[in-house]
Amino acid sequence: MAENAILYDASKCSACKGCQVQCKQWNMLPSSLGKDDNEYTGSYQSKSDLDGDTRLLIEFREKEADTGIEWAFSRRACYHCTNAACADVCPVGAITKSADGVVNLDASKCVGCKYCTAACPFSVPKYREQFNVSNKCTLCNDRIAQGREPACVQTCPADALSFGPRDQVVDAGKARVAELKTAGYERAELYGEKEMGGMHVLTVAKFGLEAHGLVRDPKRGDAVDAFSIIKPLAGVGVAGVIGALGLSFLTAVGYKQPQLSLEEASEEEN
Amino acid sequence: MSGLGATFGRGAMTNHFSDFKNADVILTIGSNNAENHPVTMAWVQEARAKGGKYVVVDPRFTRSAALADMYAPLRSGTDIAFFGGLIKYIIDNELWQKSYVENYTNAAFLVKPSFAFDDATGLFTGWDDEAKAYKGVDTWKYEVEKEEPWDTSATGPYAWTQAPGVPEFTPLVNKVAKKDATLQAPNTVFQLMKKHYERYTPEMVSRITGTPVEKLLEVYETFASTGAPEKSGTILYAMGQTQHTYGSQNVRAMGVVQLLLGNIGVAGGGINALRGEANVQGSTDIGALFHILPAYLATPVASKHPTLRAWLEAETVANGYWSNKPKFFVSQLKEIYGPYATAENDYAYDMLPKLNAKNHSHIGIFESISEGIVKGMLCWGQNPAVGGPNATFAREMMAKLDWLVAVDLWETETAGFWKAPGVDSASIQTEVYLLPAAAHYEKQGTVANSGRWIQWRYKAVDAPGEAKDDFEIMHELYKKLVEKYTADGGANPEQITKLHWPYETDGHADITKVAQGMNGYTIADGKLVKNFAALKADGTTASGVWIFSGYYNNNDAPGDPSQQPTGSRGKEDPGGLGLFPKWAFSWPANRRVIYNRASCDPQGKPWNPERVLVEWDGTKWVNNDVPDFVFQVVAPDGTATPTPPNTKAFIMNPEMGGRLWAGGAAMKDGPFPEHYEPFESPVDNLLNGRNTNPALTFGSAESVKPGSADKYPIVCTTYRVTEHWQTGGMTRNIPWLAEAMPKMFCEISEELGAEKGIANGDQVRVFNERGSIEMVAMVTPRFKPFNIDGKTVHQMGMPWHWGYAGGHSTGAIANDLTPNVGDANSSIPEYKAYLVNIEKA
């Protein structure tokens, strides 16, 4: 089966959050039903990070440069890595990689051990307390199975999201970066071609990886590999044992949440 | 709307969304299309992919600016200075499209030498200081070359006026203007324009707008490059242009620029009014305004139009397509009053309500409540407690009403105005009724989008509970009123009891019958007319909305919208220009780009052979779009004779050309757009001796409570965000959308934050004489202070989506601070530039 991928072009994204809302709608994920109990994040960003009910979040980072304001938008969600640490550490086989590149999470098998969250260099899978499971993007593999695009891609009004065979997505991403460089965006980069063995969500970062909060050279924690060797031998039973040791040993070197809440922002300023 | 109509002849967006892809330059000014019309970005990106430039001019660095090839800041309310400078730049640098301007505009027309503008007083000739209006506008006229009375003889073009049944009125006289084709005479429109904008130097414009000179020139150079015949540039605008006390003149200014550059009537050009709601174009078309009836026919004014004859003589235009106005008006009266409307009773003209001297625009209604004139209110899909200007005053006025009926999807702030924070509901006597309405997917009918496409929408699901389709509510209301007036009589019961209301099937409201009535039909056989050319002034045809005529004309299936042009969904695109002629129906006559004659040179050859809308092949017109001009003459036997190219490109204007100078009664505040400061401004007008538009409306109303710059030095504006819709009823009640943008906020610059000791996330109070509201402050480099004539002027802004009603996200009402003063022509309130102060709460 050919590998598929999403291309997110941050230089075309208007940060309308249509994808973010459509993700919740298709996947039947709720938002708070309370009154006025959502947080103010300090920017147009809806919430400070992904959570158990939020698989996709549009992030906002703004900075003044010599050339003017750099308002960098990002699409924070699972990248569907080839070397998916989450799948390797999952003790119950709830997270699996399929031949088309999707890293799926089957909630019916998940035991809520949170290893995946700890192992992911991007801290993407989030714990969903109400159901005691992890939650993350599945690339809408239910839709793909029906020959449809992922919900986020279908809803994007600005063609900032596209979906197709991965080799074509890589070519399109490279071509777009070349265009942006010609147009004067010298720090433009393509993210996800090689990272983590090759991602299945690639990003055209208009102002360079750092400006968009993308992790340069993400790495799996050493323990992930060790763990993935012992896991098949030990089977499910190992979960409890390792769980007692805590999760920090799996933690990867990676995603740092930049200015994601007011408190952190003011700490940085101080 | 009023600025577009006065310039081109129709108050409508000239092009349409999918046409943006054809532009060489897209200028967004007074709109934030990436945020508020996200779907436009598909075509903006397509244009950019082909090398097009996307230029954004806005007081604030918006999400549109983030995607732009070029961004320039501009202080709110200074657009005329900006465009005046561009007009001067285009003329000085000889960048105007000569053949286009000479042939398709009124540049060569001679204006009466007594017309003048005095920059010492800031007034055009004709100002009456007592009436606070331009009264002696006979100087705002062309010099007359000759007078051509209408030929009403049996073989003449106006023979129809003599047919039996046509109301009597004196045939008009077409006054043909004197011209100087060399454009050299000092009183040609061209020379007057050149002189008028002489003062608008880049330095002067920069001192007013706060746009740095080099940025200004960069934008001017880029946009003016579309003056090359084969190039096209489009302007996207929205409420940022219109919601000013000179909003109609802002639009006029864009019109002048686009005519000079030859950008009207061409693919990828135009002035594109991005409407604030899905059906705002449609609402305007069907006359949901106080001063126009459906299809841009004037609402009768008691003093001016006491009789049908007076109306016809005053409103019919002596030359151009509006000379047919009597046909459209009589047909409309026939649809309103049906068999009761006869030639003998002037087609029931007397039954139509007439305007008196009072201005009953949105602002005026609340003034009239305050004066005790208006005692009851039907608020249908409107939420003035949040959406109107000076909303605190509006809510106070609602408490003076005897009764209020709100028709809406939710209990809005208006429906629950007595629940506003701080209000003592026990002291309010108003009887309030809330009628639950069906949402758009719970009913069927048409929506006319910004690009004039009238598209039929089908009902997807039943409305919940007791909620009803708006039309069903209206239908039941109609029946009750007739019952009541028939039983009890009243002052003038015939106005209601004689209404023609055939809009039901088996006793139930039937919207497809309304569609048929709007399209028009011949009364004798009830057959739908093919288009508005079939309408007559003799009472034999009926049509509620003549401009829509042709959108619902299939006599084979009158009850089936999918078999009608408005329901058609063909995806063919001849010419590859995104015209999609078989997708729905675009008024008028399914023309996708109006004034498309101007896409060709006078000989009929397209300025750009890659973008062919219409073309004269030597013997006939070859068309991708429906021609918006006389392209053939059809004889009674059906033989069509092609009409060779002429220069009549703007058929709705008596000049047959676009108006660089809009004289006569076209505009209430001057034939040329002139810069004035907003009603509340921190600076004096540098360009003339008058600070504010002399003809603005409601400026002296007590409720306005103007604030002075020494107490309120900060310019504030309001806007919308992608995540919410209007007053928030439809978004703050949906958890996903409430979460997407959860809090009311204001945006201020880092510099203003530092000055006031406000950090990002602080709770702040924003206030002026009209109100005081609290919210969280978003301190951002995307707002920058302006340097206005050497002085630092801060600007801030806030969205107006929040209020106290709703389940998931509530917040302060931005419009508690906006002034209830109006534009001279349309009375649209000045939401987009006013004064405030701010402090940490």
Side-chain angles (χ1 to χ4, degrees):
Chain A
M1 186 187 278
E3 291 183 35
N4 291 321
I6 285 176
L7 181 64
Y8 167 67
D9 185 345
S11 73
K12 285 187 179 169
C13 173
S14 66
C16 73
K17 308 179 191 168
C19 52
Q20 181 183 309
V21 174
Q22 180 64 9
C23 174
K24 287 208 161 190
Q25 185 167 13
W26 179 258
N27 294 300
M28 293 188 285
L29 295 162
S31 295
S32 167
L33 294 172
K35 185 172 182 177
D36 294 327
D37 60 357
N38 289 298
E39 61 182 325
Y40 171 71
T41 63
S43 74
Y44 282 19
Q45 191 166 318
S46 302
K47 36 177 66 189
S48 51
D49 195 8
L50 301 172
D51 58 33
D53 293 329
T54 309
R55 293 177 179 179
L56 195 171
L57 182 69
I58 293 296
E59 296 181 324
F60 294 73
R61 291 173 177 81
E62 62 191 27
K63 186 178 111 185
E64 230 179 324
D66 297 341
T67 46
I69 303 287
E70 289 184 356
W71 204 2
F73 308 134
S74 316
R75 177 188 177 280
R76 175 148 166 75
C78 175
Y79 295 111
H80 297 274
C81 309
T82 298
N83 297 332
C86 57
D88 290 342
V89 300
C90 180
V92 294
I95 302 182
T96 51
K97 291 193 292 178
S98 65
D100 64 351
V102 173
V103 179
N104 191 34
L105 191 158
D106 180 349
S108 69
K109 291 184 184 161
C110 178
V111 295
C113 72
K114 304 182 194 168
Y115 288 6
C116 51
T117 309
C120 172
F122 315 102
S123 194
V124 161
K126 296 292 182 197
Y127 182 59
R128 206 175 180 204
E129 200 163 355
Q130 193 187 352
F131 300 93
N132 185 36
V133 293
S134 269
N135 193 13
K136 74 165 197 71
C137 166
T138 61
L139 217 71
C140 281
N141 57 355
D142 50 345
R143 293 172 60 98
I144 295 172
Q146 296 171 10
R148 303 168 76 184
E149 294 178 317
C152 55
V153 176
Q154 190 193 32
T155 206
C156 180
D159 280 341
L161 287 170
S162 51
F163 176 77
R166 188 173 184 277
D167 48 355
Q168 288 176 24
V169 163
V170 170
D171 289 347
K174 284 179 172 169
R176 181 63 183 156
V177 166
E179 263 175 45
L180 284 167
K181 283 180 186 288
T182 313
Y185 297 98
E186 288 156 14
R187 287 174 291 135
E189 289 179 76
L190 180 65
Y191 187 67
E193 186 194 0
K194 299 269 162 52
E195 285 83 356
M196 301 297 286
M199 295 169 164
H200 296 82
V201 175
L202 286 87
T203 302
V204 172
K206 185 181 180 184
F207 301 112
L209 304 190
E210 288 74 14
H212 293 266
L214 299 170
V215 180
R216 195 173 289 283
D217 301 325
K219 301 221 167 24
R220 293 151 55 108
D222 292 340
V224 171
D225 294 323
F227 186 72
S228 55
I229 294 163
I230 59 167
K231 186 182 68 169
L233 306 173
V236 180
V238 82
V241 183
I242 309 278
L245 297 171
L247 299 168
S248 57
F249 79 104
L250 287 172
T251 303
V253 184
Y255 182 71
K256 177 172 174 282
Q257 293 172 2
Q259 299 200 5
L260 282 176
S261 74
L262 282 176
E263 292 70 29
E264 285 182 25
S266 43
E267 272 168 29
E268 279 191 17
E269 278 158 28
N270 295 338
Chain B
M1 200 275 289
S2 37
L4 289 172
T7 310
F8 309 122
R10 297 187 186 101
M13 172 155 160
T14 58
N15 297 46
H16 55 99
F17 280 25
S18 42
D19 179 63
F20 301 164
K21 69 171 186 170
N22 300 314
D24 294 294
V25 182
I26 297 168
L27 173 62
T28 280
I29 179 165
S31 108
N32 178 6
N33 63 298
E35 294 197 46
N36 298 329
H37 302 86
V39 296
T40 57
M41 289 314 291
W43 296 290
V44 171
Q45 296 294 15
E46 219 175 309
R48 293 183 72 224
K50 290 188 286 187
K53 293 276 176 259
Y54 177 46
V55 181
V56 173
V57 179
D58 199 284
R60 171 182 60 124
F61 191 92
T62 60
R63 279 180 263 193
S64 299
L67 298 170
D69 296 292
M70 194 180 293
Y71 163 73
L74 159 139
R75 173 172 60 100
S76 276
T78 61
D79 306 82
I80 292 176
F82 178 90
F83 285 116
L86 178 52
I87 292 167
K88 179 174 165 56
Y89 179 91
I90 292 166
I91 297 173
D92 286 356
N93 294 288
E94 299 271 325
L95 297 168
W96 47 289
Q97 194 181 325
K98 308 238 166 9
S99 175
Y100 186 106
V101 171
E102 286 163 4
N103 290 290
Y104 304 144
T105 75
N106 62 351
F109 286 48
L110 295 180
V111 174
K112 284 192 173 183
S114 50
F115 167 78
F117 174 75
D118 177 7
D119 50 353
T121 60
L123 295 169
F124 293 92
T125 42
W127 177 251
D128 180 335
D129 208 40
E130 211 156 286
K132 298 274 175 256
Y134 284 102
K135 289 283 183 188
V137 296
D138 37 319
T139 65
W140 300 8
K141 286 186 176 153
Y142 302 122
E143 288 198 273
V144 177
E145 169 83 42
K146 59 179 173 186
E147 297 199 344
E148 291 177 343
W150 276 13
D151 177 0
T152 60
S153 67
T155 52
Y158 296 97
W160 58 267
T161 60
Q162 304 306 309
V166 175
E168 266 187 46
F169 67 101
T170 313
L172 280 79
V173 176
N174 179 29
K175 294 178 180 168
V176 180
K178 275 190 192 164
K179 290 172 204 151
D180 172 15
T182 69
L183 311 186
Q184 293 309 309
N187 62 328
T188 53
V189 162
F190 189 80
Q191 293 299 330
L192 287 171
M193 176 177 63
K194 191 172 169 186
K195 186 171 148 230
H196 190 85
Y197 294 105
E198 204 51 50
R199 296 164 292 142
Y200 290 65
T201 62
E203 294 70 28
M204 174 59 89
V205 172
S206 170
R207 283 166 64 199
I208 294 168
T209 60
T211 313
V213 171
E214 63 279 9
K215 272 276 161 207
L216 195 65
L217 291 174
E218 202 184 332
V219 174
Y220 283 0
E221 186 188 348
T222 304
F223 198 70
S225 70
T226 63
E230 73 285 3
K231 299 270 185 196
S232 47
T234 181
I235 301 180
L236 312 188
Y237 79 96
M239 300 299 144
Q241 292 295 340
T242 56
Q243 290 175 342
H244 292 283
T245 43
Y246 34 77
S248 305
Q249 293 286 9
N250 279 344
V251 177
R252 277 270 304 132
M254 294 187 279
V256 173
V257 166
Q258 290 295 62
L259 285 172
L260 283 174
L261 296 173
N263 281 336
I264 300 295
V266 303
I271 299 193
N272 293 305
L274 306 181
R275 304 296 181 169
E277 294 194 17
N279 199 20
V280 161
Q281 181 67 51
S283 307
T284 316
D285 298 338
I286 56 98
L289 291 165
F290 78 106
H291 62 309
I292 54 168
L293 296 171
Y296 305 99
L297 302 170
T299 303
V301 178
S303 58
K304 191 177 171 192
H305 311 113
T307 60
L308 176 61
R309 181 184 191 121
W311 192 98
L312 294 172
E313 288 172 358
E315 296 302 320
T316 307
V317 181
N319 192 31
Y321 206 74
W322 273 125
S323 61
N324 293 304
K325 208 178 265 189
K327 301 174 185 172
F328 310 141
F329 192 45
V330 171
S331 294
Q332 185 170 92
L333 287 167
K334 280 301 291 178
E335 183 57 17
I336 298 173
Y337 282 107
Y340 178 70
T342 61
E344 291 69 37
N345 69 1
D346 275 350
Y347 295 103
Y349 177 80
D350 293 347
M351 291 296 121
L352 280 188
K354 315 283 185 299
L355 294 173
N356 58 19
K358 287 216 170 282
N359 177 331
H360 279 128
S361 63
H362 183 102
I363 298 172
I365 290 169
F366 291 90
E367 291 298 319
S368 289
I369 299 175
S370 125
E371 292 161 19
I373 299 168
V374 172
K375 304 208 180 275
M377 183 186 275
L378 264 169
C379 242
W380 209 308
Q382 280 259 346
N383 187 9
V386 173
N390 198 350
T392 317
F393 174 69
R395 294 193 300 276
E396 281 167 18
M397 289 307 104
M398 288 175 196
K400 291 186 69 177
L401 292 168
D402 294 342
W403 55 267
L404 169 71
V405 181
V407 187
D408 222 307
L409 308 185
W410 321 86
E411 187 190 66
T412 62
E413 286 78 1
T414 296
F417 76 90
W418 43 280
K419 294 181 181 173
V423 166
D424 172 21
S425 60
S427 68
I428 296 174
Q429 303 305 316
T430 315
E431 191 70 37
V432 180
Y433 305 87
L434 172 60
L435 305 183
H440 42 303
Y441 297 120
E442 296 161 357
K443 61 186 177 190
Q444 66 166 343
T446 61
V447 162
N449 73 8
S450 285
R452 299 167 281 102
W453 296 13
I454 316 168
Q455 307 185 73
W456 197 274
R457 284 180 173 180
Y458 301 89
K459 176 178 167 177
V461 288
D462 286 331
E466 295 180 318
K468 283 195 172 134
D469 178 332
D470 293 301
F471 180 55
E472 273 180 76
I473 297 174
M474 182 69 85
H475 185 65
E476 287 184 23
L477 182 63
Y478 159 77
K479 289 213 279 202
K480 277 281 168 210
L481 284 171
V482 170
E483 201 181 296
K484 194 94 180 118
Y485 274 109
T486 306
D488 303 351
N492 188 11
E494 292 82 6
Q495 276 195 314
I496 297 288
T497 58
K498 298 295 185 190
L499 280 174
H500 175 59
W501 198 283
Y503 311 127
E504 58 175 35
T505 299
D506 302 331
H508 295 287
D510 182 353
I511 198 98
T512 66
K513 295 221 164 138
V514 179
Q516 295 170 45
M518 298 208 293
N519 179 81
Y521 49 90
T522 45
I523 291 167
D525 59 5
K527 292 281 180 209
L528 298 167
V529 295
K530 191 177 166 218
N531 57 40
F532 46 72
L535 298 177
K536 294 199 161 84
D538 61 3
T540 59
T541 58
S543 169
V545 187
W546 76 271
I547 52 173
F548 282 10
S549 197
Y551 91 118
Y552 202 102
N553 63 3
N554 181 3
N555 282 303
D556 295 337
D560 183 356
S562 72
Q563 299 299 310
Q564 300 293 340
T566 184
S568 88
R569 293 293 180 266
K571 293 181 182 170
E572 303 88 330
D573 183 18
L577 295 170
L579 294 166
F580 302 109
K582 292 194 173 149
W583 185 279
F585 179 89
S586 174
W587 77 260
N590 206 24
R591 294 161 184 148
R592 304 284 152 152
V593 176
I594 48 180
Y595 320 114
N596 52 31
R597 170 63 184 89
S599 66
C600 300
D601 66 17
Q603 289 72 45
K605 285 289 156 211
W607 300 113
N608 184 332
E610 304 291 310
R611 298 178 192 144
V612 179
L613 297 173
V614 294
E615 180 171 9
W616 177 255
D617 72 359
T619 54
K620 63 179 186 308
W621 289 94
V622 185
N623 312 311
N624 286 324
D625 195 5
V626 178
D628 188 10
F629 53 96
V630 181
F631 72 106
Q632 62 178 21
V633 176
V634 184
D637 69 358
T639 344
T641 314
T643 307
N646 56 43
T647 58
K648 295 175 179 175
F650 291 82
I651 58 168
M652 303 309 287
N653 282 344
E655 296 92 333
M656 293 287 158
R659 292 192 185 124
L660 300 167
W661 180 89
M667 302 296 286
K668 291 182 176 160
D669 48 355
F672 285 129
E674 170 68 9
H675 168 72
Y676 299 102
E677 286 293 324
F679 179 71
E680 290 182 345
S681 167
V683 292
D684 286 336
N685 191 349
L686 294 176
L687 272 167
N688 66 59
R690 190 173 268 269
N691 277 344
T692 57
N693 185 350
L696 62 81
T697 55
F698 300 104
S700 53
E702 204 180 309
S703 59
V704 176
K705 298 185 205 159
S708 60
D710 53 334
K711 278 172 85 178
Y712 308 104
I714 302 164
V715 177
C716 190
T717 190
T718 60
Y719 38 76
R720 307 192 299 177
V721 297
T722 311
E723 295 82 351
H724 287 292
W725 177 247
Q726 310 293 63
T727 66
M730 289 168 74
T731 51
R732 290 186 288 111
N733 279 303
I734 296 182
W736 288 324
L737 299 174
E739 175 189 88
M741 190 64 99
K743 299 283 184 205
M744 168 65 182
F745 60 95
C746 64
E747 285 174 280
I748 65 171
S749 68
E750 291 170 339
E751 291 81 356
L752 181 58
E755 213 172 275
K756 299 280 184 181
I758 297 164
N760 194 11
D762 281 350
Q763 199 68 18
V764 291
R765 190 170 83 88
V766 183
F767 55 100
N768 60 19
E769 294 293 321
R770 289 174 292 275
S772 169
I773 55 177
E774 288 188 17
M775 70 212 81
V776 71
M778 188 181 288
V779 182
T780 170
R782 293 179 294 99
F783 249 129
K784 286 278 165 212
F786 287 101
N787 175 352
I788 305 298
D789 199 24
K791 179 179 150 192
T792 298
V793 170
H794 289 291
Q795 174 156 2
M796 60 176 291
M798 57 179 86
W800 57 276
H801 299 296
W802 276 268
Y804 44 83
H808 305 296
S809 172
T810 60
I813 296 173
N815 279 320
D816 282 2
L817 304 181
T818 53
N820 46 333
V821 292
D823 169 58
N825 293 282
S826 69
S827 288
I828 196 169
E830 189 155 64
Y831 297 103
K832 291 296 181 257
Y834 56 98
L835 295 178
V836 297
N837 210 336
I838 185 171
E839 65 184 22
K840 215 165 156 171

